[in-house]
Amino acid sequence: MRGIAPLTLIYVCCAWIAGIYVAHQLAVSPPYLWLGMVLLALTAWLFRANRTRRFIAVLGVVILVAAMRTTAALPQPSPTSIALYNNRPVHVKGIISRVPIVEDTRMKLVVRVTELQDGATRVPVAGQVLITTPLYP
């Protein structure tokens, strides 16, 4: 029985990291990932006599498994969640749900949002946001 090549683990780790990157950049849905994984596993089986080609196909499977794992771990906000509007300038309407945190130069407010306005449309949403304002606006 032959041993594992010294760089095998490094290649597998790099493939895993590539799978995480692919999941963040492409946002591929799980059915396509399953299809790709089955096709690459079949390819690895077909190339079972050629070690290099088989290993490349196995690395492809590792990339897709990492992409599936990353996709499954990311939260999927509901259509009425305020999280869908992260990093977008919108106007929110809500109620302060906790006592304000007063610091030296600023104040933090936790607001339970009930509605937001995105351009000309008003959308009912649910969730909380943290608003930081100057101490005396």
Side-chain angles (χ1 to χ4, degrees):
M1 184 172 148
R2 291 187 283 190
I4 297 175
L7 294 177
T8 301
L9 183 59
I10 293 173
Y11 291 141
V12 171
C13 289
C14 289
W16 188 268
I17 292 169
I20 294 170
Y21 180 77
V22 165
H24 280 288
Q25 295 300 317
L26 298 181
V28 180
S29 63
Y32 293 115
L33 293 173
W34 276 108
L35 178 64
M37 197 166 38
V38 168
L39 290 175
L40 281 172
L42 180 63
T43 303
W45 183 76
L46 289 174
F47 289 127
R48 64 187 177 271
N50 186 329
R51 283 182 68 135
T52 304
R53 289 184 179 176
R54 181 181 66 216
F55 185 65
I56 291 171
V58 168
L59 289 179
V61 170
V62 169
I63 289 172
L64 293 179
V65 168
M68 286 182 62
R69 173 66 182 103
T70 303
T71 303
L74 294 175
Q76 301 297 324
S78 69
T80 60
S81 174
I82 189 72
L84 287 177
Y85 298 91
N86 282 350
N87 300 322
R88 290 177 44 192
V90 294
H91 295 280
V92 296
K93 178 181 176 183
I95 300 166
I96 297 174
S97 60
R98 294 188 192 157
V99 176
I101 301 168
V102 179
E103 297 177 350
D104 290 337
T105 59
R106 61 187 178 178
M107 181 171 34
K108 294 181 180 179
L109 305 166
V110 177
V111 177
R112 184 172 40 93
V113 179
T114 57
E115 179 180 86
L116 70 80
Q117 184 173 351
D118 187 19
T121 60
R122 290 179 184 249
V123 181
V125 293
Q128 292 186 340
V129 295
L130 177 66
I131 299 175
T132 303
T133 65
L135 187 57
Y136 301 110

